[in-house]
Amino acid sequence: MGVTIDNKLTFNTHVSNVCRKAIGIYKQLCKAAKVSWGLHPEVIRVIYLATVEPIILYAASVWAQAAKKLGVIKQLAVVQRGIAQKLCKAYRTVSLNSALVLAGILPLDLRVREAASLYEAKKGVPQPVLAGREVERMASAVEGPHPAERLELEIISLVNEEQLNKHSEINVHIFTDGSKIEGKVGAALSEWKNKTENKALKLALPTYCTVYQAELLAICRATGQILKHRASSFGIYSDSMAALQTIINSNCLHPLAVECRDNLRAISLQNKVVTLFWIKAHAGLEGNERADRLAKEAAKNSKVRPDYDLCPVSFVKRSIRMATLDEWNQRYQTGETAKITKLFFPDAKLAYRLIRKFGASSETTQVMTGHGGFSEYLHRFKCKENPSCICDPDAEETVPHILLECPAYAAERLKIENEIELKLIKENISIIMMSKYREKFMSYCLKIAKRVINRNKTV
Ligand SMILES: [Zn+2]
């Protein structure tokens, strides 16, 4: 099955195997792209995400518990470190902590546990991050109706009042809509007969639900009403093509779509006719405008008890990712490595959001790790006789020194301090990185760093 099980169920052999396999494939792909030393970081990222991660994450739910063991974490770290260093063009001495933050990829052991949690959540196993909320699970294909009993459904598009009026055979019109406003979610139905509204229904959903769920819920409830209705010909109107298509596609197993199709089948047995219409939103159709207003009202005054409250998988993924980021951040902040990186990014979560906006360059990474052509580093790794800066034999040439203190760059520093209206001290670096001055500050850092690096090359 692709999972190696040893007699003590430690999964150590399995982890070693997948790690070896992942590294092997990664190396081959790099070779296939010929110039492994010059491979573009984005290409490496694609290779990593498309091959290395999936190989490691295969059957993660089986062995995720083992990913908490130090030995396993270390093996996974070995796979990741080299790749993360390449992604951010870091020196090989850079720590995993720094490399991961600057490469913008998550620790593999946490990814393993993340994949396992998601798998379990989809299977209905309660997850701590969901705090008791139930996950919206897809219906089973086996329990669906026999293909011969499937309804052939279609959607008719309407763009204006005129086209709507053409369908005069329809007695009852039910307009549906879903809405998300100020982070709150609502849905509504508005039932019309002879140009007047008979009935209106507002539905509330919790904040973690999506508009798509709200749209589906409204259509589903509309079919429920038709089941109980005495008229014979109905139109359901929605401005959500996505929701309508989910309903007519019988391979789609969304629970609301399945319920909706069940209702439609029961309705056809009652010899009633239902037509599904897609209407252009905000095209001035009275019923649609009314449903839109009702849905917004429903969202704003959320009821205590929602009408539908299953978590969409997108929310489950987001919650699990938040928990992963928290754990990673904890590890990053308490870890002893990555001192220089922490000056720029004291928080791994914020870094994860920001870092993809930077084009990874060797120089930026040298500045953000301190591992690069700076005397202190070169001296530490025996490439230079002394660690001192040109300004003073007693001052070590480190990244904080050249950026914040060294008198040799006082003029540039004063200039940038005036521009960003902030003093360049250690505590302010992370603040500047979060501000609109980030780019200006980074170009200052690069300018100074390049000067230092070039000078140290020639010595
Ligand atoms: Zn100096």
Side-chain angles (χ1 to χ4, degrees):
M1 296 283 280
V3 181
T4 318
I5 298 172
D6 49 294
N7 50 18
K8 285 179 190 155
L9 275 179
T10 59
F11 293 103
N12 289 344
T13 334
H14 174 75
V15 175
S16 314
N17 285 347
V18 287
C19 286
R20 204 177 321 117
K21 194 171 157 197
I23 292 179
I25 290 193
Y26 172 75
K27 280 188 179 157
Q28 272 181 2
L29 282 168
C30 285
K31 225 187 280 168
K34 287 279 190 309
V35 274
S36 74
W37 42 269
L39 217 52
H40 193 278
E42 279 310 309
V43 179
I44 301 178
R45 186 186 299 278
V46 171
I47 294 179
Y48 173 75
L49 293 177
T51 65
V52 177
E53 268 204 353
I55 290 171
I56 305 276
L57 297 186
Y58 176 72
S61 59
V62 178
W63 60 277
Q65 280 304 317
K68 286 182 182 166
K69 290 190 296 188
L70 204 59
V72 172
I73 295 177
K74 276 190 180 157
Q75 286 196 57
L76 294 171
V78 171
V79 176
Q80 229 183 349
R81 187 167 167 204
I83 299 172
Q85 286 172 346
K86 274 215 176 90
L87 266 171
C88 62
K89 299 188 173 174
Y91 277 39
R92 297 190 57 142
T93 48
V94 165
S95 69
L96 179 66
N97 249 344
S98 278
L100 287 177
V101 162
L102 296 177
I105 54 175
L106 300 165
L108 262 178
D109 62 305
L110 297 184
R111 285 285 292 132
V112 169
R113 283 158 55 195
E114 195 174 60
S117 302
L118 184 63
Y119 175 82
E120 286 177 359
K122 283 185 185 167
K123 292 268 164 209
V125 182
Q127 298 297 311
V129 292
L130 295 175
R133 297 184 191 105
E134 203 182 322
V135 178
E136 183 176 75
R137 292 165 63 192
M138 292 302 119
S140 147
V142 191
E143 285 163 22
H146 188 273
E149 287 167 29
R150 282 182 183 176
L151 291 179
E152 288 292 324
L153 296 166
E154 55 165 9
I155 305 166
I156 297 175
S157 298
L158 300 174
V159 291
N160 55 34
E161 185 109 34
E162 195 186 330
Q163 292 183 355
L164 177 70
N165 292 336
K166 272 188 195 157
H167 298 271
S168 54
E169 76 285 0
I170 291 170
N171 317 128
V172 179
H173 309 264
I174 305 179
F175 293 87
T176 66
D177 203 9
S179 189
K180 188 159 200 167
I181 187 161
E182 292 157 17
K184 294 177 174 175
V185 189
L189 322 177
S190 162
E191 187 185 305
W192 293 62
K193 197 176 176 183
N194 301 329
K195 307 257 169 212
T196 46
E197 186 185 55
N198 297 346
K199 200 171 175 183
L201 184 62
K202 289 191 238 180
L203 304 163
L205 294 91
T207 49
Y208 53 78
C209 281
T210 59
V211 181
Y212 170 70
Q213 284 179 307
E215 301 273 9
L216 275 176
L217 178 68
I219 300 173
C220 188
R221 288 298 167 90
T223 58
Q225 285 201 5
I226 294 172
L227 260 180
K228 291 179 276 176
H229 214 292
R230 262 181 282 165
S232 61
S233 171
F234 302 84
I236 297 178
Y237 304 81
S238 167
D239 56 18
S240 166
M241 195 46 118
L244 287 167
Q245 274 172 343
T246 305
I247 286 166
I248 66 164
N249 176 2
S250 41
N251 294 322
C252 183
L253 297 172
H254 192 288
L256 285 170
V258 170
E259 188 184 333
C260 195
R261 286 194 293 266
D262 287 345
N263 285 347
L264 289 171
R265 245 188 323 277
I267 291 167
S268 74
L269 292 176
Q270 296 175 336
N271 290 321
K272 296 175 190 168
V273 181
V274 181
T275 315
L276 297 176
F277 293 96
W278 172 79
I279 41 173
K280 202 167 168 240
H282 312 297
L285 296 172
E286 209 182 348
N288 178 237
E289 300 293 332
R290 170 72 177 150
D292 179 54
R293 254 192 331 273
L294 287 170
K296 286 194 172 112
E297 281 170 29
K300 278 183 187 162
N301 332 308
S302 294
K303 297 181 209 163
V304 187
R305 261 183 73 89
D307 295 275
Y308 183 85
D309 66 355
L310 298 182
C311 296
V313 172
S314 59
F315 173 79
V316 178
K317 277 188 188 162
R318 232 178 10 251
S319 309
I320 293 175
R321 177 53 56 89
M322 299 278 262
T324 304
L325 286 172
D326 276 334
E327 193 168 347
W328 179 28
N329 196 27
Q330 174 83 9
R331 191 181 288 181
Y332 170 71
Q333 289 181 334
T334 54
E336 285 184 2
T337 53
K339 282 207 175 67
I340 302 285
T341 310
K342 284 173 192 163
L343 285 179
F344 291 85
F345 299 115
D347 184 306
K349 286 191 281 182
L350 288 175
Y352 186 66
R353 255 194 278 149
L354 270 178
I355 204 73
R356 296 287 298 275
K357 293 181 186 163
F358 294 89
S361 84
S362 160
E363 284 89 1
T364 11
T365 300
Q366 289 185 45
V367 171
M368 290 184 181
T369 56
H371 289 216
F374 316 107
S375 298
E376 183 273 334
Y377 173 85
L378 296 170
H379 173 73
R380 187 149 42 107
F381 289 91
K382 319 239 175 324
C383 300
K384 202 172 178 225
E385 259 173 49
N386 66 70
S388 44
C389 180
I390 43 161
C391 68
D392 177 354
D394 291 331
E396 289 195 339
E397 191 185 62
T398 59
V399 166
H401 172 77
I402 59 167
L403 295 181
L404 310 171
E405 299 157 2
C406 184
Y409 316 106
E412 280 87 353
R413 195 172 306 120
L414 188 66
K415 192 172 155 241
I416 184 87
E417 280 181 332
N418 282 333
E419 274 182 62
I420 66 179
E421 298 165 320
L422 209 58
K423 196 135 184 63
L424 285 195
I425 53 169
K426 267 186 186 176
E427 293 71 24
N428 283 347
I429 295 183
S430 62
I431 299 171
I432 298 168
M433 291 302 286
M434 293 301 297
S435 76
K436 59 178 176 183
Y437 297 120
R438 182 175 61 238
E439 274 173 30
K440 272 199 175 130
F441 174 65
M442 278 316 296
S443 53
Y444 158 79
C445 294
L446 285 179
K447 195 169 154 192
I448 306 292
K450 277 180 187 162
R451 250 197 257 175
V452 173
I453 294 165
N454 283 334
R455 189 183 56 237
N456 283 333
K457 259 185 209 158
T458 52
V459 176

